[in-house]
């Protein structure tokens, strides 16, 4: 052993200070490697649809029903299984729905314990123990580790259950057991972008995610917009507010995040009180918005004009973005009602822009500047928003590689010939993986150094033509607002979205990110799959899976479904297809998603073990290091210290 190896082993010996401690850790890790691979779920484009998201979390995309089937097979009928599933999803509701006898409690607890055993079969006792609810940890551990059929343990097992019922804690115990099963069924949840916008309760989605174990993100374009807004970037704030007002998400803004939109309302009524704002009527009308759609239209017009001004200022600050073609507001007011796109002149449908100065169209009026300053302060002072965005930053990334899967939200910008687009930022040019790495690094810099020159990049990632998160030549907000011609509103997708059907494209991308093409997959969000039109989510010769199935209610009509969950367990990859439903009550009453449709994408030839995963590879490397430490102890190169407490390497399954 050389000197650097000895120094490393001396550091390792602080955690494992003796031969017995080191040997015990080797035994533990080698045993863990033989456990089945734990279950990963992948979801994308949740878009604030809390009702759907919450229901799918509770049923673990159908995985809990699978556990029930595995536990009982033909021993229970379908209605009994569905009844047990409903209890596991919504234990408080089901328990409150009717009075139950002692015999019902006894049978139900027996069944829940059986399902819990199924849910723990991939984990060590240490990890299960860490997830147990403290108040019932002893009871649950004894029940799931005892064999009720063993004559020596049968009376002990029954005594525990009888005591739970007799002491009056059966309801609370069942709730705790149901929640434990839910936590154990999914080991890792990957969100492949876009928690925010459109749906009514992104803040509630974030609250639930923060309460879960094993969650990570890749950022979507809507996430990055809200990250920029939380960092105080005015252009991002204007876009985030306009999106929320368009979908009538006042509760999320005001009650969810405590963002004060009253100054905007006062300004809108003051400035556009006599303007019908016909082109700004919200397109997605909630009950709240329906009663006040004319007022909402005025708010939308006020924030939209401010948005175009702030974006114009940003584009002029950054000539390197090459977005001068988006400076359409100035052209509109200077030409008194026309703009030119692609060499064609279009007449605009609204020229009532009293706050826009034709001589300096992107300058905010004094009142607009006051309003923007207030809005920026409101976003910066929202404690809940800041907490959510810090979590999103810490747990998120532009892309992620895990267990042979490459995750990203939008696209890897490409040229029509299949080569990666080269994008210049500062004095360097990036493409493919290097572009994603550079964007990731700059987003993190912006979080801690919130100067506008840094946060402006997040706006570009939201809507820039070469942004990996946008994937289009533009976001045609101006055209949809001021131009009636559908041709003018066309957004051209990056060539990636034509090329992604090719297996060769998938090979090029996976190779660029160091992923084995023969075993790896690209998991992509962002673009809803129109399943009702026969579109397949499987592309790239089977190597690319698009998992945006339209969680958002606004997309259900286009996709025909209510989202996908991709499940990767020890038996391979499968896609769970979720049905639309009107409410949680409807879903529970009609067993929707209790039996999700399952499309098997790629089964494995043999059951995958922990040793086949990224964590398994790390463990095997640690085992080799520990074996070297054993040799060093035995050769006398490092002295044992058996009096020190032993530590663990940090791996748990």
């Amino acid at each position: 052993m050389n000197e650097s190896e000895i120094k490393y082993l001396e550091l390792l010996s602080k955690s494992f200070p003796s031969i017995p401690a080191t040997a015990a850790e080797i035994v533990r890790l080698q045993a863990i490697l033989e456990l089945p691979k734990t279950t990963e779920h992948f979801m994308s484009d949740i878009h604030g649809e809390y009702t759907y998201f919450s229901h799918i979390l509770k049923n673990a995309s159908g995985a809990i029903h699978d556990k029930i089937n595995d536990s009982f097979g033909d021993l229970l009928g379908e209605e009994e299984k569905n009844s047990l599933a409903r209890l596991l999803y919504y234990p408080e509701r089901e328990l409150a729905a009717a009075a139950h006898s002692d015999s019902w409690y006894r049978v139900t607890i027996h069944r829940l314990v059986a399902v819990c055993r199924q849910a723990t079969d991939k984990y060590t006792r240490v990890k299960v123990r860490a997830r147990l609810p403290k108040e019932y940890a002893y009871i649950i551990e004894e029940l799931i580790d005892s064999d009720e059929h063993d004559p020596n343990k049968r009376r002990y097992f029954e005594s525990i259950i009888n005591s739970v019922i007799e002491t009056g804690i059966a309801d609370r115990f069942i709730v705790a057991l149901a929640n434990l099963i839910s936590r154990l069924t999914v080991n890792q949840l990957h969100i492949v972008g876009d928690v925010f916008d459109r749906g009514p309760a992104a803040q509630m989605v974030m609250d639930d995610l923060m309460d879960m174990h094993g969650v990570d993100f890749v950022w979507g374009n809507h996430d990055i917009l809200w990250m920029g807004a939380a960092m105080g970037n005015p252009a991002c704030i204007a876009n985030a507010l306009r999106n929320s007002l368009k979908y009538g998400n006042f509760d999320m803004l005001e009650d969810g995040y405590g963002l004060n939109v009253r100054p905007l309302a006062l300004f809108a009524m003051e400035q556009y009180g006599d303007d019908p704002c016909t082109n700004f009527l919200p397109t997605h009308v909630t009950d709240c918005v329906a009663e006040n759609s004319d007022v909402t239209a005025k708010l939308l017009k006020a924030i939209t004009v401010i948005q175009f001004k702030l974006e114009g200022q940003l584009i002029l600050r950054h000539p390197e973005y090459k977005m001068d073609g988006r400076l359409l507001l100035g052209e509109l007011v200077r030409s008194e009602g026309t703009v030119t796109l692609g060499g064609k002149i279009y007449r605009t449908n609204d020229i009532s822009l009293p706050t826009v100065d034709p001589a300096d169209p992107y300058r905010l009026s004094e009142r607009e500047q006051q309003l923007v300053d207030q809005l920026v302060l409101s976003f910066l002072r929202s404690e809940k928003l800041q907490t959510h965005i810090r979590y999103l930053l810490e747990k998120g990334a532009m892309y992620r590689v895990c267990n042979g899967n490459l995750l990203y939200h939008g696209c890897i910008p490409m040229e029509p010939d299949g080569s990666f687009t080269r994008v210049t930022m500062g004095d360097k040019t990036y493409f493919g993986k290097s572009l994603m790495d550079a964007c990731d690094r700059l987003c993190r810099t912006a979080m801690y150094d919130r100067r506008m020159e840094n946060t402006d990049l997040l706006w570009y990632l939201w809507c820039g033509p070469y942004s990996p998160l946008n994937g289009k030549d533009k976001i045609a907000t101006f055209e949809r607002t001021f131009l009636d011609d559908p041709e003018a509103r066309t957004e051209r997708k990056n060539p990636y979205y034509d090329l992604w059907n090719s297996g060769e494209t998938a090979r090029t991308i996976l190779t660029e990110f160091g992923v084995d093409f023969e075993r790896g997959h690209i998991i992509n969000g962002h673009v809803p799959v129109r399943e009702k039109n026969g579109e397949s989510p499987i592309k790239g010769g089977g190597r690319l899976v698009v998992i945006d199935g339209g969680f958002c209610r606004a997309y259900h009509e286009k996709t025909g479904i209510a989202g996908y969950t991709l499940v990767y367990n020890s038996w391979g990859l499968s896609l769970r297809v979720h049905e639309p439903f009107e409410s949680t009550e409807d879903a529970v009453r009609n067993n929707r998603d209790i039996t999700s449709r399952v499309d098997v994408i790629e089964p494995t030839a043999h059951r995958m073990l922990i040793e086949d995963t990224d964590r398994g590879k790390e463990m095997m490397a640690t085992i080799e290091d520990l074996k070297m430490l054993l040799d060093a102890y035995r050769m006398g190169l490092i002295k044992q210290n058996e009096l020190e407490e032993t530590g663990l390497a940090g791996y748990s399954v």
Side-chain angles (χ1 to χ4, degrees):
M1 296 181 190
N2 59 40
E3 186 177 348
S4 62
E5 288 175 331
I6 295 294
K7 286 183 177 179
Y8 166 69
L9 293 175
E10 285 174 342
L11 290 173
L12 189 60
S13 72
K14 300 295 183 183
S15 297
F16 307 100
S18 67
I19 288 176
T22 306
E25 182 65 1
I26 292 172
V27 170
R28 188 180 80 90
L29 293 180
Q30 287 182 330
I32 288 173
L33 291 173
E34 300 303 317
L35 286 171
K37 176 193 176 299
T38 54
T39 302
E40 300 172 80
H41 281 204
F42 304 80
M43 301 168 73
S44 82
D45 297 87
I46 297 160
H47 284 302
E49 289 289 358
Y50 180 71
T51 301
Y52 293 101
F53 174 73
S54 176
H55 181 64
I56 289 166
L57 275 191
K58 289 179 184 299
N59 67 48
S61 302
I64 286 179
H65 203 273
D66 293 344
K67 297 292 182 189
I68 294 171
N69 280 326
D70 292 341
S71 300
F72 300 107
D74 296 330
L75 295 176
L76 296 182
E78 281 306 306
E79 181 47 41
E80 286 180 296
K81 291 178 184 177
N82 289 342
S83 178
L84 188 59
R86 287 192 293 271
L87 179 64
L88 280 164
Y89 304 164
Y90 298 100
E92 294 95 341
R93 178 181 303 181
E94 292 297 297
L95 288 167
H100 300 291
S101 66
D102 286 358
S103 61
W104 181 90
Y105 280 115
R106 195 170 290 108
V107 169
T108 299
I109 292 173
H110 269 280
R111 289 175 177 177
L112 291 177
V113 168
V115 178
C116 194
R117 286 198 190 108
Q118 278 290 334
T120 62
D121 67 354
K122 296 181 181 179
Y123 301 105
T124 62
R125 285 192 178 187
V126 171
K127 187 154 189 176
V128 173
R129 198 171 290 136
R131 303 258 177 101
L132 295 175
K134 289 182 181 178
E135 63 270 33
Y136 303 120
Y138 166 78
I139 301 173
I140 294 174
E141 189 168 9
E142 288 300 303
L143 288 176
I144 62 178
D145 288 341
S146 297
D147 180 2
E148 66 265 43
H149 303 296
D150 182 346
N152 297 318
K153 283 290 186 76
R154 185 180 303 135
R155 292 183 63 181
Y156 174 71
F157 188 93
E158 293 298 334
S159 176
I160 293 175
I161 294 177
N162 288 336
S163 295
V164 166
I165 298 168
E166 289 169 6
T167 55
I169 64 169
D171 281 2
R172 282 178 291 173
F173 181 73
I174 286 172
V175 171
L177 200 52
N179 290 337
L180 174 64
I181 291 166
S182 179
R183 288 195 298 273
L184 290 169
T185 300
V186 180
N187 184 59
Q188 188 73 28
L189 175 61
H190 306 283
I191 305 296
V192 191
D194 280 356
V195 170
F196 286 89
D197 285 336
R198 298 199 179 105
Q203 84 283 2
M204 295 173 70
V205 174
M206 288 299 299
D207 281 340
D208 275 12
L209 290 171
M210 289 185 70
D211 283 341
M212 294 178 64
H213 69 276
V215 175
D216 58 48
F217 302 84
V218 295
W219 303 319
N221 54 320
H222 289 269
D223 301 325
I224 216 80
L225 175 66
W226 277 84
M227 287 166 64
M231 294 175 195
N233 185 276
C236 290
I237 287 172
N239 273 275
L241 282 174
R242 187 188 59 79
N243 287 346
S244 297
L245 294 173
K246 178 182 176 183
Y247 285 85
N249 295 334
F250 288 92
D251 288 345
M252 186 199 77
L253 293 173
E254 296 182 320
D255 300 332
Y257 283 128
L259 299 169
N260 186 7
V261 297
R262 180 173 170 77
L264 174 61
L266 293 173
F267 172 80
M269 295 307 296
E270 167 193 310
Q271 195 64 61
Y272 300 100
D274 297 328
D275 186 337
C277 301
T278 307
N279 296 327
F280 294 88
L281 291 169
T283 53
H284 298 83
V285 181
T286 62
D287 292 340
C288 173
V289 173
E291 296 176 7
N292 303 283
S293 60
D294 57 334
V295 175
T296 304
K298 298 180 195 309
L299 269 69
L300 270 168
K301 183 165 186 177
I303 197 62
T304 301
V305 172
I306 289 172
Q307 173 189 319
F308 293 150
K309 287 187 175 187
L310 292 169
E311 290 180 333
Q313 293 175 15
L314 192 153
I315 290 167
L316 292 169
R317 281 197 302 274
H318 294 279
E320 72 275 16
Y321 289 174
K322 299 179 181 177
M323 293 181 67
D324 289 358
R326 302 307 299 158
L327 296 173
L328 297 171
L329 180 66
E331 184 180 346
L332 185 159
V333 295
R334 283 192 292 266
S335 66
E336 298 183 346
T338 63
V339 295
T340 302
L341 294 169
K344 183 176 178 180
I345 298 174
Y346 295 89
R347 171 64 59 179
T348 60
N349 52 31
D350 188 346
I351 58 172
S352 177
L353 301 169
T355 69
V356 183
D357 179 359
D360 192 1
Y362 300 108
R363 179 180 59 82
L364 295 173
S365 70
E366 184 177 346
R367 284 283 288 113
E368 286 174 327
Q369 186 63 61
Q370 290 173 353
L371 173 60
V372 168
D373 291 343
Q374 288 175 296
L375 292 172
V376 168
L377 199 59
S378 185
F379 272 73
L380 291 174
R381 287 180 173 176
S382 171
E383 186 176 342
K384 173 166 275 195
L385 178 61
Q386 295 298 325
T387 298
H388 285 172
I389 294 304
R390 281 195 299 272
Y391 181 78
L392 197 59
L393 187 83
E394 291 164 5
K395 295 284 188 177
M398 284 291 293
Y399 70 93
R400 193 175 297 278
V401 177
C402 53
N403 295 327
N405 295 311
L406 170 62
L407 286 58
Y408 53 79
H409 179 72
C411 70
I412 308 299
M414 303 186 85
E415 298 298 311
D417 65 1
S419 62
F420 294 119
T421 298
R422 295 177 176 269
V423 180
T424 300
M425 294 191 291
D427 58 353
K428 294 184 178 179
T429 298
Y430 304 95
F431 59 91
K433 182 177 182 294
S434 68
L435 175 62
M436 300 290 269
D437 287 335
C439 291
D440 189 292
R441 184 173 61 253
L442 292 168
C443 286
R444 298 181 195 282
T445 299
M447 186 66 188
Y448 298 104
D449 183 357
R450 297 185 176 189
R451 286 176 294 174
M452 199 173 291
E453 62 196 73
N454 293 327
T455 62
D456 282 350
L457 174 72
L458 281 82
W459 175 85
Y460 181 87
L461 290 174
W462 154 246
C463 64
Y466 296 111
S467 163
L469 301 181
N470 179 29
K472 296 178 290 188
D473 65 333
K474 63 186 177 186
I475 294 181
T477 306
F478 183 94
E479 291 86 341
R480 288 193 295 270
T481 302
F482 288 110
L483 306 180
D484 295 328
D485 191 328
E487 181 185 359
R489 301 176 176 186
T490 302
E491 298 170 337
R492 290 194 301 276
K493 292 180 182 178
N494 187 274
Y496 168 89
Y497 294 105
D498 291 323
L499 296 164
W500 69 353
N501 290 304
S502 162
E504 192 55 41
T505 297
R507 181 187 295 276
T508 298
I509 294 171
L510 288 168
T511 302
E512 169 74 2
F513 285 83
V515 179
D516 180 3
F517 173 75
E518 299 302 328
R519 296 179 63 246
H521 297 86
I522 297 166
I523 300 175
N524 208 152
H526 192 49
V527 179
V529 176
R530 297 176 185 252
E531 183 166 300
K532 75 171 191 177
N533 295 339
E535 183 181 358
S536 171
I538 314 302
K539 304 180 188 298
R543 298 291 97 188
L544 191 154
V545 187
V546 185
I547 62 168
D548 181 1
F551 256 107
C552 182
R553 186 184 296 267
Y555 280 97
H556 292 179
E557 188 176 340
K558 296 178 182 178
T559 63
I561 56 175
Y564 295 121
T565 301
L566 183 68
V567 177
Y568 188 27
N569 59 25
S570 57
W571 299 110
L573 279 171
S574 61
L575 199 64
R576 308 294 174 104
V577 185
H578 306 302
E579 295 181 55
F581 59 84
E582 291 303 315
S583 65
T584 300
E585 289 75 14
D586 170 66
V588 171
R589 186 172 59 252
N590 295 307
N591 296 335
R592 298 186 190 278
D593 263 342
I594 284 179
T595 52
S596 298
R597 194 184 94 215
V598 180
D599 296 337
V600 176
I601 294 175
E602 188 173 280
T604 57
H606 65 279
R607 194 176 193 188
M608 290 183 66
L609 305 177
I610 296 296
E611 68 179 1
D612 300 313
T613 67
D614 293 343
R615 178 164 289 189
K617 292 180 177 64
E618 293 172 6
M619 286 183 181
M620 287 187 277
T622 299
I623 288 168
E624 292 306 309
D625 292 345
L626 290 168
K627 288 179 177 178
M628 288 177 62
L629 180 60
L630 271 183
D631 291 341
Y633 281 140
R634 287 168 176 157
M635 290 186 291
L637 298 174
I638 296 176
K639 185 178 178 181
Q640 295 185 70
N641 185 355
E642 297 189 33
L643 297 178
E644 288 190 16
E645 291 187 8
T646 62
L648 296 175
Y651 296 102
S652 62
V653 174

